[in-house]
Amino acid sequence: MSVEFNHTIVLTPDREKSARFVAEILGLEPGPPAGMFLPVTTANGVTLDFATVDIDIPVQHYAFLVSEEEFDAILARLVAARVPVQADPHGRYPRRLNRKDGGRGVYFRDPAGHGLEVLTRPYGTDPGSPLNGVTEGIPGAV
């Protein structure tokens, strides 16, 4: 068997709020609770197991590779929900998306403050793309 990523635990002050936010934005559904976890499973079978904890939680980063059509739908849900978006993880390009490797990508935060990213092309797939370094405004974004 080859090595595959199976699941990760996402710590949050409120598993319901965080799991439902991520699932809704990505067009997924939370699964049934499994003990202390509320799972959200992606198309490739990787599960984000959301767990409520009462501790200071370090910010984590979760990136999701999606199709162009899925990106459009996710971006529309982010704009409709008035979730702040940006083209980079540091917030230098608010209300914009990036065009790295000829694809599109955008960053945003979940209710626990974790950094989420959706992208249409894996980084490094087209290092010579003339779109590298380009950002585009997102109509209606906050």
Side-chain angles (χ1 to χ4, degrees):
M1 170 185 239
S2 62
V3 176
E4 295 182 1
F5 189 68
N6 180 262
H7 71 277
T8 192
I9 297 170
V10 181
L11 302 178
T12 175
D14 183 337
R15 76 178 188 174
E16 295 283 335
K17 185 176 183 181
S18 290
R20 294 198 185 291
F21 172 84
V22 170
E24 181 179 314
I25 292 298
L26 297 179
L28 304 171
E29 293 287 330
M36 69 180 287
F37 303 112
L38 185 58
V40 175
T41 303
T42 64
N44 63 340
V46 174
T47 303
L48 301 167
D49 291 323
F50 290 85
T52 300
V53 294
D54 187 21
I55 61 171
D56 287 335
I57 302 167
V59 173
Q60 298 293 309
H61 174 75
Y62 301 96
F64 302 92
L65 183 63
V66 301
S67 70
E68 289 288 339
E69 295 77 23
E70 289 165 325
F71 186 91
D72 289 337
I74 290 166
L75 192 56
R77 287 190 288 269
L78 288 165
V79 169
R82 303 202 43 80
V83 174
V85 295
Q86 55 205 37
D88 70 310
H90 310 292
R92 292 177 297 216
Y93 305 101
R95 298 174 301 283
R96 301 184 73 77
L97 60 85
N98 70 61
R99 297 302 314 270
K100 293 178 185 170
D101 294 295
R104 294 185 294 163
V106 69
Y107 295 81
F108 57 100
R109 299 259 179 207
D110 81 344
H114 295 304
L116 306 180
E117 175 185 9
V118 291
L119 64 156
T120 61
R121 300 275 304 268
Y123 295 135
T125 56
D126 190 359
S129 172
L131 295 175
N132 288 337
V134 172
T135 66
E136 294 177 2
I138 302 169
V142 296

